[in-house]
Protein backbone atom coordinates (compact mmCIF):
# COMPACT_ATOMS: atom_id res chain seq x y z
CA UNK A 1 0.00 0.00 0.00
CA UNK A 2 1.25 3.55 -0.71
CA UNK A 3 2.55 5.82 2.00
CA UNK A 4 -0.05 7.93 3.74
CA UNK A 5 0.66 11.44 4.90
CA UNK A 6 -0.97 11.78 8.30
CA UNK A 7 -1.17 15.01 10.26
CA UNK A 8 -1.02 14.18 13.96
CA UNK A 9 -2.73 16.41 16.50
CA UNK A 10 -2.63 16.05 20.25
CA UNK A 11 -5.48 18.32 21.28
CA UNK A 12 -6.74 17.40 24.74
CA UNK A 13 -9.00 20.47 24.98
CA UNK A 14 -11.05 19.55 21.92
CA UNK A 15 -14.22 17.55 22.56
CA UNK A 16 -15.89 14.77 20.63
CA UNK A 17 -18.96 16.99 20.31
CA UNK A 18 -16.89 19.65 18.52
CA UNK A 19 -15.36 17.12 16.15
CA UNK A 20 -18.65 15.40 15.34
CA UNK A 21 -20.66 18.58 14.88
CA UNK A 22 -18.06 20.23 12.61
CA UNK A 23 -16.84 17.34 10.46
CA UNK A 24 -16.87 17.78 6.73
CA UNK A 25 -15.10 14.51 5.87
CA UNK A 26 -15.05 10.75 6.54
CA UNK A 27 -14.24 10.36 10.20
CA UNK A 28 -13.75 7.38 12.52
CA UNK A 29 -14.09 8.13 16.23
CA UNK A 30 -12.98 5.65 18.87
CA UNK A 31 -14.96 6.45 21.99
CA UNK A 32 -13.79 5.27 25.38
CA UNK A 33 -16.91 3.19 26.12
CA UNK A 34 -20.31 2.08 24.91
CA UNK A 35 -21.83 4.51 27.39
CA UNK A 36 -20.01 7.41 25.73
CA UNK A 37 -21.28 6.22 22.33
CA UNK A 38 -24.85 6.04 23.62
CA UNK A 39 -24.60 9.52 25.11
CA UNK A 40 -23.15 10.96 21.88
CA UNK A 41 -25.85 9.33 19.79
CA UNK A 42 -28.67 10.59 22.00
CA UNK A 43 -27.29 14.15 22.11
CA UNK A 44 -26.02 14.55 18.55
CA UNK A 45 -27.98 12.31 16.16
CA UNK A 46 -30.75 14.83 15.47
CA UNK A 47 -28.29 17.70 14.97
CA UNK A 48 -26.14 15.57 12.65
CA UNK A 49 -29.20 14.61 10.61
CA UNK A 50 -30.17 18.28 10.26
CA UNK A 51 -26.63 19.13 9.09
CA UNK A 52 -26.55 16.25 6.61
CA UNK A 53 -23.90 14.32 8.56
CA UNK A 54 -24.29 10.53 8.51
CA UNK A 55 -23.71 9.36 12.10
CA UNK A 56 -23.14 5.61 12.47
CA UNK A 57 -22.70 4.40 16.04
CA UNK A 58 -21.87 0.99 17.47
CA UNK A 59 -25.04 -0.41 19.01
CA UNK A 60 -27.39 1.83 17.02
CA UNK A 61 -28.74 1.00 13.59
CA UNK A 62 -27.47 -2.54 13.10
CA UNK A 63 -24.48 -4.76 13.60
CA UNK A 64 -20.92 -4.28 12.48
CA UNK A 65 -21.48 -5.57 8.92
CA UNK A 66 -24.37 -3.20 8.35
CA UNK A 67 -22.46 -0.22 9.78
CA UNK A 68 -19.42 -1.05 7.59
CA UNK A 69 -21.63 -1.21 4.50
CA UNK A 70 -23.44 2.03 5.35
CA UNK A 71 -20.15 3.83 5.98
CA UNK A 72 -18.77 2.61 2.64
CA UNK A 73 -21.88 3.83 0.78
CA UNK A 74 -22.59 7.07 2.62
CA UNK A 75 -21.58 10.42 1.18
CA UNK A 76 -19.38 12.78 3.16
CA UNK A 77 -19.63 14.06 5.78
CA UNK A 78 -19.91 10.76 7.63
CA UNK A 79 -18.84 9.59 11.06
CA UNK A 80 -18.38 6.10 12.45
CA UNK A 81 -18.26 5.91 16.26
CA UNK A 82 -17.13 2.67 17.84
CA UNK A 83 -14.91 1.37 20.64
CA UNK A 84 -11.21 0.56 20.17
CA UNK A 85 -11.84 -3.15 20.69
CA UNK A 86 -14.43 -3.30 17.89
CA UNK A 87 -12.51 -1.06 15.48
CA UNK A 88 -9.68 -3.56 15.05
CA UNK A 89 -12.17 -5.90 13.35
CA UNK A 90 -13.66 -3.32 10.97
CA UNK A 91 -13.17 -3.82 7.25
CA UNK A 92 -13.66 -0.49 5.50
CA UNK A 93 -12.62 0.35 1.94
CA UNK A 94 -9.04 1.48 1.43
CA UNK A 95 -8.62 5.26 1.36
CA UNK A 96 -12.06 5.84 2.88
CA UNK A 97 -11.14 7.68 6.12
CA UNK A 98 -9.87 11.27 6.36
CA UNK A 99 -9.82 11.69 10.13
CA UNK A 100 -9.16 9.17 12.91
CA UNK A 101 -9.97 10.29 16.45
CA UNK A 102 -8.91 8.48 19.62
CA UNK A 103 -10.85 9.89 22.57
CA UNK A 104 -8.84 8.17 25.28
CA UNK A 105 -5.74 6.04 25.52
CA UNK A 106 -7.00 2.42 25.53
CA UNK A 107 -5.85 1.23 28.93
CA UNK A 108 -7.38 -1.95 30.31
CA UNK A 109 -9.85 -1.44 33.13
CA UNK A 110 -7.85 -2.25 36.30
CA UNK A 111 -10.78 -3.98 37.99
CA UNK A 112 -11.21 -6.52 35.18
CA UNK A 113 -10.68 -9.94 36.85
CA UNK A 114 -8.04 -11.17 34.38
CA UNK A 115 -6.12 -7.89 34.42
CA UNK A 116 -6.21 -7.61 38.21
CA UNK A 117 -4.68 -11.10 38.47
CA UNK A 118 -2.03 -10.51 35.79
CA UNK A 119 -0.73 -7.28 37.31
CA UNK A 120 0.08 -9.13 40.55
CA UNK A 121 3.01 -10.74 38.71
CA UNK A 122 4.85 -7.41 38.33
CA UNK A 123 6.79 -5.20 40.72
CA UNK A 124 5.57 -2.09 38.91
CA UNK A 125 2.32 -3.23 37.25
CA UNK A 126 1.67 0.07 35.48
CA UNK A 127 5.13 0.51 33.93
CA UNK A 128 5.73 -3.18 33.25
CA UNK A 129 2.27 -4.31 32.13
CA UNK A 130 -0.46 -1.69 31.73
CA UNK A 131 1.53 0.94 29.82
CA UNK A 132 3.19 -1.49 27.34
CA UNK A 133 -0.15 -3.21 26.78
CA UNK A 134 -1.84 0.13 26.03
CA UNK A 135 0.96 1.11 23.62
CA UNK A 136 0.49 -2.18 21.76
CA UNK A 137 -3.23 -1.42 21.44
CA UNK A 138 -2.47 2.05 20.06
CA UNK A 139 -0.09 0.49 17.54
CA UNK A 140 -2.75 -2.00 16.41
CA UNK A 141 -5.38 0.75 16.14
CA UNK A 142 -3.10 2.92 14.02
CA UNK A 143 -2.26 -0.07 11.85
CA UNK A 144 -5.98 -0.65 11.28
CA UNK A 145 -6.47 3.06 10.54
CA UNK A 146 -3.72 2.96 7.92
CA UNK A 147 -5.62 0.26 6.03
CA UNK A 148 -8.53 2.72 5.73
CA UNK A 149 -6.68 6.06 5.58
CA UNK A 150 -6.73 8.37 2.61
CA UNK A 151 -3.34 9.53 1.31
CA UNK A 152 -3.69 12.73 3.32
CA UNK A 153 -5.40 12.13 6.63
CA UNK A 154 -5.42 13.24 10.25
CA UNK A 155 -4.97 11.36 13.53
CA UNK A 156 -6.31 13.24 16.57
CA UNK A 157 -5.64 12.20 20.16
CA UNK A 158 -7.99 13.89 22.63
CA UNK A 159 -6.86 12.32 25.91
CA UNK A 160 -5.79 15.11 28.31
CA UNK A 161 -3.53 12.68 30.18
CA UNK A 162 -1.04 12.96 27.32
CA UNK A 163 -0.09 16.40 28.70
CA UNK A 164 -0.92 15.98 32.39
CA UNK A 165 0.57 12.59 33.37
CA UNK A 166 4.24 11.61 33.44
CA UNK A 167 3.57 8.71 31.04
CA UNK A 168 2.39 11.23 28.42
CA UNK A 169 6.03 11.65 27.39
CA UNK A 170 6.33 7.89 26.92
CA UNK A 171 3.24 7.89 24.71
CA UNK A 172 4.47 10.88 22.71
CA UNK A 173 7.84 9.22 22.21
CA UNK A 174 6.15 5.99 21.13
CA UNK A 175 3.96 7.84 18.63
CA UNK A 176 7.01 9.62 17.22
CA UNK A 177 8.61 6.22 16.58
CA UNK A 178 5.64 4.62 14.87
CA UNK A 179 4.81 7.85 13.04
CA UNK A 180 8.39 8.60 12.00
CA UNK A 181 9.22 12.25 12.59
CA UNK A 182 9.82 14.62 15.47
CA UNK A 183 6.66 15.21 17.44
CA UNK A 184 5.58 17.56 20.22
CA UNK A 185 2.61 17.60 22.55
CA UNK A 186 1.14 20.80 21.20
CA UNK A 187 1.72 21.18 17.47
CA UNK A 188 0.29 19.25 14.53
CA UNK A 189 3.05 17.58 12.55
CA UNK A 190 3.08 15.92 9.14
CA UNK A 191 3.89 12.25 9.62
CA UNK A 192 4.88 9.80 6.90
CA UNK A 193 3.47 6.40 7.78
CA UNK A 194 4.79 3.16 6.36
Amino acid sequence: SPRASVETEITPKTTLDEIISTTKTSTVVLASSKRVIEDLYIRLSENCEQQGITLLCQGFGGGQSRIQAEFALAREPKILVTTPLNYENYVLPQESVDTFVLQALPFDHPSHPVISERVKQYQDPFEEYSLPRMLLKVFRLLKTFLRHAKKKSTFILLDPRITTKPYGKVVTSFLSKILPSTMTNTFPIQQQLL
Side-chain angles (χ1 to χ4, degrees), residues 1-181:
S1 83
R3 283 181 173 253
S5 174
V6 177
E7 182 178 316
T8 303
E9 297 178 25
I10 298 175
T11 55
K13 293 186 176 159
T14 303
T15 67
L16 282 180
D17 288 28
E18 291 169 323
I19 290 170
I20 290 172
S21 62
T22 61
T23 192
K24 305 272 187 261
T25 62
S26 297
T27 302
V28 171
V29 174
L30 301 188
S32 58
S33 69
K34 291 178 185 176
R35 186 174 296 154
V36 170
I37 294 171
E38 181 179 324
D39 180 56
L40 283 170
Y41 185 80
I42 290 168
R43 284 186 298 104
L44 301 176
S45 61
E46 190 174 316
N47 186 40
C48 284
E49 188 175 330
Q50 290 170 354
Q51 292 185 43
I53 299 171
T54 302
L55 179 62
L56 303 165
C57 293
Q58 174 184 331
F60 296 89
Q64 181 176 324
S65 295
R66 182 174 177 171
I67 290 173
Q68 289 173 161
E70 287 188 31
F71 187 84
L73 295 172
R75 289 194 172 121
E76 292 183 359
K78 58 186 173 181
I79 302 167
L80 167 62
V81 184
T82 189
T83 59
L85 181 62
N86 277 5
Y87 180 64
E88 286 185 54
N89 299 315
Y90 269 77
V91 179
L92 300 173
Q94 288 184 342
E95 296 191 29
S96 63
V97 179
D98 293 288
T99 306
F100 179 65
V101 181
L102 185 58
Q103 179 194 19
L105 294 169
F107 283 105
D108 291 314
H109 198 287
S111 67
H112 187 282
V114 172
I115 301 303
S116 63
E117 283 300 312
R118 284 186 183 161
V119 297
K120 291 177 184 176
Q121 301 171 23
Y122 298 92
Q123 263 189 313
D124 185 347
F126 182 78
E127 291 288 329
E128 295 174 36
Y129 183 77
S130 298
L131 186 59
R133 190 165 156 83
M134 182 276 299
L135 293 174
L136 177 61
K137 287 180 186 179
V138 168
F139 175 79
R140 290 191 332 234
L141 293 169
L142 288 170
K143 186 176 173 186
T144 302
F145 166 57
L146 289 178
R147 289 196 317 256
H148 310 144
K150 291 186 178 177
K151 287 188 171 134
K152 290 195 181 264
S153 51
T154 303
F155 165 58
I156 301 172
L157 178 57
L158 300 179
D159 196 326
R161 296 174 294 183
I162 197 86
T163 57
T164 62
K165 298 289 185 183
Y167 62 81
K169 290 179 182 175
V170 173
V171 175
T172 302
S173 173
F174 177 76
L175 289 173
S176 72
K177 289 175 186 165
I178 62 173
L179 306 172
S181 180

